[in-house]
Amino acid sequence: QKEVEQDPGPLSVPEGAIVSLNCTYSNSAFQYFMWYRQYSRKGPELLMYTYSSGNKEDGRFTAQVDKSSKYISLFIRDSQPSDSATYLCAMPSGGTSYGKLTFGQGTILTVHP
Amino acid sequence: EAGVAQSPRYKIIEKRQSVAFWCNPISGHATLYWYQQILGQGPKLLIQFQNNGVVDDSQLPKDRFSAERLKGVDSTLKIQPAKLEDSAVYLCASSFVLGTGGTDTQYFGPGTRLTVL
């Protein structure tokens, strides 16, 4: 069993739709949770990170963590064609906020006009 | 602020050949990571440096892969000899300091896309 599981999609939605991206994890030591966005032929860039269970909002993006279920989500409101990318969940090892990241396999998102 | 630089961007080699990748991290970043990203998968850590010392190389195939970070700045990753399954994007990332508290953001370079024929 992989430590982090993520539905690879691909996911195709119309502009303006609400998008839900999800990951599950098996390692209880994970305490910090990150979402990276990776455009085609680019390196990943940090989008959001959360620590505690609950929601964290940043503009059109909301990250949600449920530690009891080992389940994290990223919601994108009013999706735009510029949001088309691969979204990767990631968790630092050993319960820290830094160091080696364990990534999900990524969800490919396409937002069409 | 300049980002993480990597070269070459693309490389095509035949199996059993050797190849080397270069990374220049963001100025002042003490920690440097090399990740391997196979098509359709998330990045997987190969090696982590703190300054010029190795912190974690547990997933580095040491029979064929080697990496060094001289003077705690630039780093090179080498594969010798390459296998077909080494075809992947090799990503370099850097972060400011390990263990400063808060979140230690990793900044990624654009990667080197390796094709082994």
Side-chain angles (χ1 to χ4, degrees), chain B residues 2 4-5 8 25-26 30 41 58 60 62 67 70 72 74-75 84 90 95 98 103 110 112 115:
Chain B
V4 176
I26 293 172
Q41 298 183 21
S58 58
L60 186 74
K62 298 181 186 62
L70 298 176
D74 293 3
S75 178
L84 297 177
Y90 291 85
S95 62
L98 181 69
T103 301
T112 296
T115 302

Side-chain angles (χ1 to χ4, degrees), chain A residues 2 8 32 34 36 38 40-46 49 86 88 97-106, chain B residues 9-10 33 35 37 40-43 45 48 56 59 91 98-99 101-106 108-110 113:
Chain A
K2 291 183 179 178
Y32 288 82
M34 300 170 174
Y36 277 80
Q38 185 174 24
S40 179
R41 304 200 179 267
K42 302 284 188 183
E45 58 177 343
L46 182 65
Y49 74 90
T86 296
L88 298 148
S97 62
Y98 51 84
K100 167 188 173 181
L101 291 174
T102 299
F103 284 89
Q105 68 182 105
Chain B
R9 291 295 312 276
Y10 305 92
Y33 309 81
Y35 288 86
Q37 186 174 22
Q41 298 183 21
L45 181 75
Q48 176 186 346
D56 185 345
Q59 297 188 88
L91 294 162
L98 181 69
T103 301
D104 191 28
T105 301
Q106 293 183 28
F108 285 81
R113 185 176 298 269

Side-chain angles (χ1 to χ4, degrees), chain B residues 24-65:
Chain B
N24 179 237
I26 293 172
S27 178
H29 280 195
T31 309
L32 185 147
Y33 309 81
W34 283 102
Y35 288 86
Q36 179 193 57
Q37 186 174 22
I38 292 171
L39 185 65
Q41 298 183 21
K44 181 186 82 170
L45 181 75
L46 292 175
I47 190 167
Q48 176 186 346
F49 291 95
Q50 170 77 359
N51 295 311
N52 59 351
V54 175
V55 175
D56 185 345
D57 64 356
S58 58
Q59 297 188 88
L60 186 74
K62 298 181 186 62
D63 58 333
R64 297 184 301 106
F65 286 66

Side-chain angles (χ1 to χ4, degrees), chain A residues 34-97:
Chain A
M34 300 170 174
W35 287 96
Y36 277 80
R37 178 174 61 195
Q38 185 174 24
Y39 290 114
S40 179
R41 304 200 179 267
K42 302 284 188 183
E45 58 177 343
L46 182 65
L47 196 57
M48 293 185 71
Y49 74 90
T50 56
Y51 169 66
S52 57
S53 286
N55 294 354
K56 181 179 180 180
E57 195 171 311
D58 184 1
R60 296 184 294 108
F61 298 89
T62 299
Q64 190 174 78
V65 174
D66 181 350
K67 287 186 178 178
S68 62
S69 301
K70 297 189 179 66
Y71 189 87
I72 68 170
S73 300
L74 178 71
F75 298 95
I76 307 174
R77 291 186 302 280
D78 187 26
S79 56
Q80 302 295 310
S82 58
D83 295 328
S84 297
T86 296
Y87 290 80
L88 298 148
C89 59
M91 297 152 203
S93 60
T96 64
S97 62

